[in-house]
Amino acid sequence: GIQVEQSPPDLILQEGANSTLRCNFSDSVNNLQWFHQNPWGQLINLFYIPSGTKQNGRLSATTVATERYSLLYISSSQTTDSGVYFCAVRAGTASKLTFGTGTRLQVTL
Amino acid sequence: EAQVTQNPRYLITVTGKKLTVTCSQNMNHEYMSWYRQDPGLGLRQIYYSMNVEVTDKGDVPEGYKVSRKEKRNFPLILESPSPNQTSLYFCASSSIRVGNEQFFGPGTRLTVL
């Protein structure tokens, strides 16, 4: 099956700093999503981005499907950004999303 | 508000006592799915449904049942729960009409003693 790798696995930032999270996948995909899992365990949809670039406030994402990677940018980080960020993909006729192992982000004051 | 809801959000039960976790979506999505999340194993699909009365096994279906009698509801049934089913469970829905973006419920944290 498709493999999804995320880097870095852990990240500690001071409030106000910027960061880039990376997601590499091993095959062509027709769905790629970024999620934020908050400290209460909820999965929050950030982006649906099988290709191209999108922005939502301080967050933006870019997927280069031909090179099989996606990037999530967080600017001016806040403590509420803390949690785990997941990339998830769907390939071919698969019914499920395959999740990466996540990047655990901690934003400190 | 478009959403996926799950109930209960938290449940502590004992081995062998049948339970049902409900899932409902109000977006008229044809596709619904259940995942479980465990430390070190990530999120794994349990069962999915492409439409009413159409269900199929995911990666870890053992010990679970589902049904899809109505488009909006997709309950997860544990006939005889065991401690290895202690996990965080998520229901999700999507529609090919809007690109198959999956929307997740808030999660159900289940502990089986």
Side-chain angles (χ1 to χ4, degrees):
Chain A
I2 192 168
Q3 304 297 314
V4 183
E5 295 181 354
Q6 292 185 241
S7 59
D10 296 280
L11 188 57
I12 301 175
L13 298 174
Q14 268 200 320
E15 198 171 43
N18 303 329
S19 61
T20 301
L21 282 57
R22 186 176 179 103
C23 171
N24 293 331
F25 43 95
S26 62
D27 204 347
S28 300
V29 299
N30 48 39
N31 178 352
L32 188 145
Q33 295 183 238
W34 282 97
F35 297 90
H36 173 215
Q37 187 165 35
N38 63 24
W40 296 270
Q42 295 177 316
L43 282 170
I44 310 299
N45 284 44
L46 297 177
F47 293 101
Y48 170 70
I49 187 166
S51 64
T53 297
K54 290 186 178 180
Q55 180 156 8
N56 184 5
R58 295 181 298 103
L59 274 60
S60 64
T62 295
T63 297
V64 184
T66 53
E67 297 187 21
R68 299 181 184 170
Y69 74 88
S70 183
L71 301 173
L72 177 69
Y73 305 96
I74 305 174
S75 64
S76 304
S77 57
Q78 302 175 357
T79 55
T80 52
D81 295 331
S82 296
V84 182
Y85 289 80
F86 289 104
C87 167
V89 303
R90 192 172 71 89
T93 59
S95 67
K96 65 180 181 183
L97 285 176
T98 298
F99 282 75
T101 51
T103 293
R104 185 175 299 276
L105 173 64
Q106 183 180 351
V107 181
T108 62
L109 291 171
Chain B
E1 179 189 356
Q3 60 183 346
V4 180
T5 57
Q6 295 179 225
N7 282 291
R9 296 288 313 282
Y10 303 90
L11 179 61
I12 301 174
T13 189
V14 295
T15 298
K17 186 176 181 182
K18 181 179 178 179
L19 67 92
T20 299
V21 183
T22 65
C23 173
S24 183
Q25 50 91 9
N26 62 2
M27 296 171 279
N28 199 34
H29 287 171
E30 64 273 12
Y31 174 87
M32 298 185 74
S33 180
W34 278 101
Y35 294 81
R36 60 178 288 175
Q37 184 180 26
D38 301 288
L41 297 175
L43 281 95
R44 296 175 292 169
Q45 190 186 54
I46 304 170
Y47 267 96
Y48 65 96
S49 169
M50 299 299 287
N51 216 321
V52 176
E53 301 291 1
V54 181
T55 64
D56 210 344
K57 297 177 181 178
D59 296 324
V60 287
E62 294 78 20
Y64 305 94
K65 285 176 56 177
V66 293
S67 68
R68 186 90 182 273
K69 297 178 182 176
E70 304 167 282
K71 197 172 187 179
R72 64 184 293 126
N73 297 323
F74 190 45
L76 180 70
I77 303 158
L78 285 72
E79 295 265 358
S80 183
S82 62
N84 64 12
Q85 292 178 299
T86 293
S87 187
L88 178 58
Y89 291 87
F90 289 100
C91 180
S93 74
S94 66
S95 173
I96 196 169
R97 295 177 282 107
V98 288
N100 265 328
E101 179 180 4
Q102 289 204 20
F103 295 87
F104 283 74
T108 295
R109 200 171 290 276
L110 172 66
T111 301
V112 183
L113 301 174

